[in-house]
Amino acid sequence: MPSPDFHSLTPSDLTPAQWHPFLVGAVAPRPVAFASTIDADGRVNLSPFSFFNAFSSNPPILVFSPANRVRDNTQKHTLENAREVPEVVINICDYALVEQMSLASTEYGKGVNEFTKAGLTELASELVRPPRVAEAPAAFECVVEQIIELGQNNGAGNLIICRVVRAHFRQDILLPDATGIDPFKLDAVARLGGDWYCRASGASLFEVPKPNRHIGIGIDQLPEHLRTSDVLTGNELGRLANIERDALPRPEQVEEFKSEPMVAYLLNKHQDDAPELKKQLLQLGRQFLAEGRLVEAWKVLLLYNLR
């Protein structure tokens, strides 16, 4: 495959305003920290930040970054508040909240309560002073452990390292056995570049089995006719390679698979047309992969190598 063309940039050659859309457009999607804070006078602030993620489960650490404004290098009220009162509630935004969350990002003056502006409900926290968003499906009460300034320039980040001391999860987003979160019910949103968001639910969700549950054979160990295929995608090769050697179908199992109705039909229909047979077997193997039927996909794709 020919090498693709690239548009290569050196950040220091660009102004912050020129560089910013490339960074946030490519590093995406990003979860949103809908952060509520208070200042020393007890005035509440609520604002979303997409430079955010979880960085440790024990201790439970969340980090978000209110960056200096690109246009004039001023700092956000959230950052000022976290310095004055080192506590924050990080609320998680779902699709039902996204327009109100976006409205709360408006740069209102110091002391203006974005809960009021965005029509959201303050719910008293249990262990920290800032309130949480009652409409949010999940909220983390945190104490600020450290604030790290990454620079003094326009767009420089300020990492607010938060330790979770109490967490709240709406009952309807839990898995049936209450051991975790159902991603379909959470319906979280994430930030892209420009005005774009994405919604983590429905057709956009897909599963990829974690390879740390076992030692997969790796793409380098795939049969040559699969490894060098110009039809199978990198994702499909990766899924095929995420199988333990002991789980690979044995030759007799592949032979037995010829009696499966769909396989038998293809073998009979195209017995005199080897290219078409291979094409149909490849298509069936890819279908099994898409359905998560890894072993059946392997059996079909091993049959695909019939001479």
Side-chain angles (χ1 to χ4, degrees):
M1 187 176 76
S3 298
D5 292 330
F6 286 93
H7 180 61
S8 300
L9 301 172
T10 301
S12 59
D13 291 341
L14 305 175
T15 67
Q18 290 171 328
W19 166 245
H20 183 79
F22 287 98
L23 178 68
V24 299
V27 184
R30 301 181 306 283
V32 178
F34 202 14
S36 49
T37 56
I38 62 171
D39 66 13
D41 296 324
R43 296 178 297 184
V44 173
N45 182 270
L46 178 65
S47 187
F49 299 92
S50 68
F51 289 179
F52 161 63
N53 220 309
F55 286 83
S56 171
S57 61
N58 184 25
I61 299 295
L62 304 177
V63 179
F64 72 102
S65 177
N68 298 346
R69 294 182 178 91
V70 171
R71 68 171 184 275
D72 59 9
N73 202 29
T74 57
Q75 296 188 328
K76 309 286 179 67
H77 298 146
T78 298
L79 178 60
E80 295 172 353
N81 289 357
R83 289 186 176 125
E84 293 178 18
V85 179
E87 298 174 346
V88 60
V89 178
I90 295 179
N91 305 277
I92 301 302
C93 184
D94 61 7
Y95 183 72
L97 268 179
V98 67
E99 294 284 354
Q100 289 170 283
M101 178 269 289
S102 178
L103 182 59
S105 68
T106 303
E107 294 187 359
Y108 296 110
K110 178 75 171 176
V112 173
N113 187 336
E114 287 83 2
F115 276 89
T116 302
K117 289 293 187 181
L120 296 170
T121 308
E122 293 185 29
L123 187 60
S125 297
E126 297 177 9
L127 299 180
V128 299
R129 283 163 284 182
R132 66 187 211 254
V133 177
E135 293 83 358
F140 299 92
E141 298 183 21
C142 305
V143 294
V144 175
E145 294 281 321
Q146 189 177 4
I147 298 176
I148 301 176
E149 294 184 0
L150 300 180
Q152 304 295 323
N153 302 320
N154 304 55
N158 301 278
L159 303 185
I160 300 182
I161 301 175
C162 307
R163 177 170 53 86
V164 180
V165 295
R166 186 76 167 156
H168 310 273
F169 307 99
R170 205 170 60 209
Q171 288 285 345
D172 65 301
I173 68 170
L174 299 179
L175 293 169
D177 59 0
T179 58
I181 307 299
D182 185 324
F184 292 91
K185 294 176 180 176
L186 178 61
D187 199 13
V189 295
R191 195 77 168 86
L192 302 169
D195 291 338
W196 290 95
Y197 290 81
C198 67
R199 183 178 183 180
S201 66
S204 65
L205 292 187
F206 57 93
E207 289 185 295
V208 178
K210 292 183 179 179
N212 60 4
R213 295 177 184 144
H214 54 259
I215 304 298
I217 63 172
I219 288 178
D220 63 321
Q221 296 300 306
L222 294 179
E224 184 178 2
H225 73 281
L226 300 180
R227 190 176 65 251
T228 60
S229 170
D230 58 0
V231 176
L232 292 170
T233 67
N235 280 339
E236 290 168 335
L237 293 175
R239 180 62 66 91
L240 286 168
N242 187 24
I243 189 172
E244 292 180 284
R245 190 165 299 281
D246 291 345
L248 287 168
R250 299 185 301 276
E252 62 270 23
Q253 292 176 312
V254 176
E255 189 66 26
E256 290 172 3
F257 201 61
K258 291 180 180 180
S259 63
E260 289 293 314
M262 178 57 71
V263 177
Y265 169 77
L266 294 177
L267 291 174
N268 180 64
K269 180 178 181 181
H270 303 294
Q271 59 182 323
D272 298 323
D273 188 351
E276 183 61 25
L277 173 60
K278 295 180 77 170
K279 176 182 175 181
Q280 293 299 322
L281 288 174
L282 180 61
Q283 182 176 326
L284 181 60
R286 298 182 75 190
Q287 177 183 326
F288 284 152
L289 275 179
E291 295 171 356
R293 299 163 64 181
L294 180 58
V295 174
E296 288 106 319
W298 262 102
K299 291 176 180 178
V300 169
L301 292 173
L302 289 174
L303 282 173
Y304 166 83
N305 200 34
L306 289 172
R307 293 291 188 265

